[in-house]
Amino acid sequence: MLRFYLDFATLLVPLALLAALTAAIYVHAKPVYQATGLLDAPKLSLDEWRHLGPLLPDSRLISGTFGQLGWSNSDGSEATPHAAAVRRRFESRTFWEGSLQYRSALRREDVREAPGSDPKASTTLGIDVALRAPGREIATELMNAIARHVGQVLSWSMLDTFLRDRRDATVSRKAELEVMLTKLNFAVTQTETRILDMRQIVDAFPDLRDLGGSTIVSPENGGGRYLSPAAQLVAFKSTLIDQRGQIATAERELDILRWYEQFFARAAAPPDDVRSGSRLADWLDGKRKEFFSKPAGAAVQVDQEIAFAIAEARTRGDRIAYGAAPIVDPWPVTTRAPLPVASIAFVVAMLLFGLLLLIYRSARQLDGPSRTAPWLASKDPLFAWLPPRLRGVLFRYERRYQDKAR
């Protein structure tokens, strides 16, 4: 093998150098830089982040973010070729899984020291972002777009979850409360009946009023002990107060659900073009102000709950930002640095061109008149078109065969 490369070094080395130079020029013209940053995501739990993961590549949510950034036209198309390239990356699930990683405040060493630690209940330090871009400006712009998109998706997810939970509650919880009220009303009727009966006993036997908290032994059921009628009367009164309080609480909750039901009847599902957190918040806030123009009673609480959900979603979405400016390496990544790429291309070209030449030489010897005769490259049709002087320089190894022939 060494003899082969020594014989054809004058041919293979220039070809390998040409390949290395071409690769170096290419990577120099199209560099790729590494950009890293830490997204500050306050109160973002691991469960919430896992819920956001499948939503990040959603094309409709991406369109909403591009609309916020001004990267899309009125018809939904991308305003610039750069925006189209970013959309292709954003719509790839692999991009999000490889570029963003959840960083918990609980480290692996903490889990070893405290086995009872729960990573899901731990707070977050943020979201690690690492990506590659063909330029520093593009890398910075892409990092900012990621922060905006994550914030918009978080806001949209929070409001969408709030609306779905309230819609489900108006159906399931409302039926449950109606059954509960029926049972409580019957229990109140029973308690009131017992109070009347106990008063009749106390009125019939005035001496029982002085028994206080003592007990009475019943002649039936094995002589069971009971509180005195006066004590039972107090207990029934306390029970009646508690039952009426439960009824008032259930009626209040039922009234709230009815207001939610009326609100959702007016505010149906958001339009299809409302696919960003800020636009969904604006749409929901407009519907809230329109419906609750003059709230009263339970409607005040419903109005406040919707307003709080909107404010919280907006606040958490806006707080998704970089704690420090993203860092973009001043030099290209190693795989796009001219010198390492040229070195690798030189070695690969030497091996590849040498293998091809070796295969070609073996095939020509097998097809030749004599398999023992040496293969002379200068006389092969593949190189016969080269000038004789150049062939003499490239294939100097043939001189030893010519000397032997003499």
Side-chain angles (χ1 to χ4, degrees):
M1 185 63 68
L2 179 61
R3 172 58 63 87
F4 172 80
Y5 274 99
L6 290 175
D7 289 345
F8 295 99
T10 52
L11 174 65
L12 297 177
V13 170
L15 293 176
L17 287 175
L18 180 62
L21 181 61
T22 303
I25 294 175
Y26 176 81
V27 298
H28 179 71
K30 295 184 177 182
V32 174
Y33 298 91
Q34 180 74 23
T36 57
L38 180 64
L39 274 176
D40 187 16
K43 300 181 181 179
L44 183 65
S45 65
L46 182 58
D47 289 338
E48 286 180 316
W49 175 246
R50 288 175 175 172
H51 178 69
L52 290 181
L55 298 176
L56 292 173
D58 189 286
S59 59
R60 294 170 296 179
L61 293 176
I62 294 173
S63 298
T65 302
F66 278 26
Q68 295 291 325
L69 295 172
W71 288 3
S72 59
N73 300 319
S74 57
D75 58 352
S77 61
E78 282 69 38
T80 61
H82 169 63
V86 174
R87 173 180 282 275
R88 288 193 295 269
R89 298 182 71 173
F90 275 22
E91 290 180 350
S92 172
R93 186 180 299 273
T94 305
F95 170 75
W96 295 107
E97 293 177 351
S99 300
L100 275 68
Q101 296 294 329
Y102 182 87
R103 182 191 286 190
S104 174
L106 189 65
R107 297 180 299 178
R108 187 174 301 177
E109 292 77 8
D110 300 331
V111 177
R112 294 174 182 173
E113 295 175 0
S117 302
D118 185 8
K120 293 184 178 180
S122 175
T123 57
T124 175
L125 295 179
I127 306 298
D128 277 322
V129 182
L131 54 88
R132 294 182 176 183
R136 295 184 182 88
E137 295 182 359
I138 296 177
T140 304
E141 191 175 11
L142 186 59
M143 296 284 280
N144 293 330
I146 288 175
R148 176 66 67 86
H149 184 59
V150 173
Q152 289 292 321
V153 172
L154 177 61
S155 299
W156 187 89
S157 175
M158 291 179 62
L159 291 177
D160 182 68
T161 302
F162 171 79
L163 293 175
R164 285 189 289 105
D165 290 346
R166 289 299 182 270
R167 284 194 178 96
D168 295 341
T170 56
V171 178
S172 59
R173 181 61 177 167
K174 182 181 176 182
E176 182 182 353
L177 287 173
E178 290 175 348
V179 173
M180 183 187 300
L181 280 174
T182 302
K183 293 180 178 180
L184 286 173
N185 288 324
F186 177 76
V188 167
T189 303
Q190 292 292 97
T191 304
E192 290 176 345
T193 302
R194 291 181 179 181
I195 291 175
L196 292 176
D197 294 341
M198 199 58 62
R199 281 179 177 174
Q200 292 178 0
I201 295 176
V202 173
D203 293 339
F205 303 96
D207 297 339
L208 296 178
R209 297 176 181 178
D210 300 331
L211 292 178
S214 60
T215 58
I216 298 175
V217 179
S218 172
E220 299 179 357
N221 299 327
R225 295 177 178 272
Y226 300 93
L227 291 174
S228 65
Q232 290 189 46
L233 188 60
V234 173
F236 285 140
K237 280 283 189 180
S238 301
T239 302
L240 183 61
I241 294 174
D242 181 64
Q243 290 172 344
R244 287 175 176 172
Q246 294 180 18
I247 290 176
T249 302
E251 288 178 344
R252 172 75 176 187
E253 187 176 356
L254 187 60
D255 197 16
I256 290 173
L257 293 179
R258 286 169 180 164
W259 276 106
Y260 269 114
E261 188 176 21
Q262 296 176 23
F263 174 74
F264 290 135
R266 296 282 187 89
D272 293 336
D273 58 343
V274 179
R275 297 297 293 185
S276 67
S278 57
R279 293 197 62 183
L280 182 58
D282 294 340
W283 174 84
L284 185 61
D285 196 31
K287 292 293 184 180
R288 178 189 66 84
K289 293 178 180 178
E290 178 184 351
F291 183 76
F292 298 103
S293 57
K294 295 180 180 179
V300 175
Q301 181 176 342
V302 176
D303 183 34
Q304 292 176 349
E305 288 181 356
I306 298 175
F308 174 75
I310 295 172
E312 185 183 21
R314 282 175 171 168
T315 302
R316 292 190 63 187
D318 293 340
R319 292 186 66 183
I320 300 294
Y322 294 100
I327 300 174
V328 182
D329 293 344
W331 304 105
V333 296
T334 305
T335 56
R336 285 300 183 98
L339 184 58
V341 171
S343 302
I344 295 173
F346 178 82
V347 174
V348 172
M350 285 289 291
L351 295 175
L352 180 61
F353 289 146
L355 179 61
L356 293 176
L357 183 60
L358 180 61
I359 294 174
Y360 181 79
R361 186 184 70 169
S362 301
R364 296 295 292 178
Q365 282 183 337
L366 292 175
D367 292 341
S370 175
R371 297 184 180 182
T372 59
W375 177 73
L376 301 178
S378 59
K379 297 181 180 181
D380 192 89
L382 182 63
F383 304 103
W385 58 275
L386 294 174
R389 182 174 296 181
L390 181 58
R391 280 182 289 169
V393 173
L394 294 176
F395 309 115
R396 292 180 179 178
Y397 78 96
E398 296 181 358
R399 296 178 181 177
R400 62 175 178 267
Y401 296 109
Q402 295 175 358
D403 296 340
K404 290 181 181 181
R406 294 174 183 175

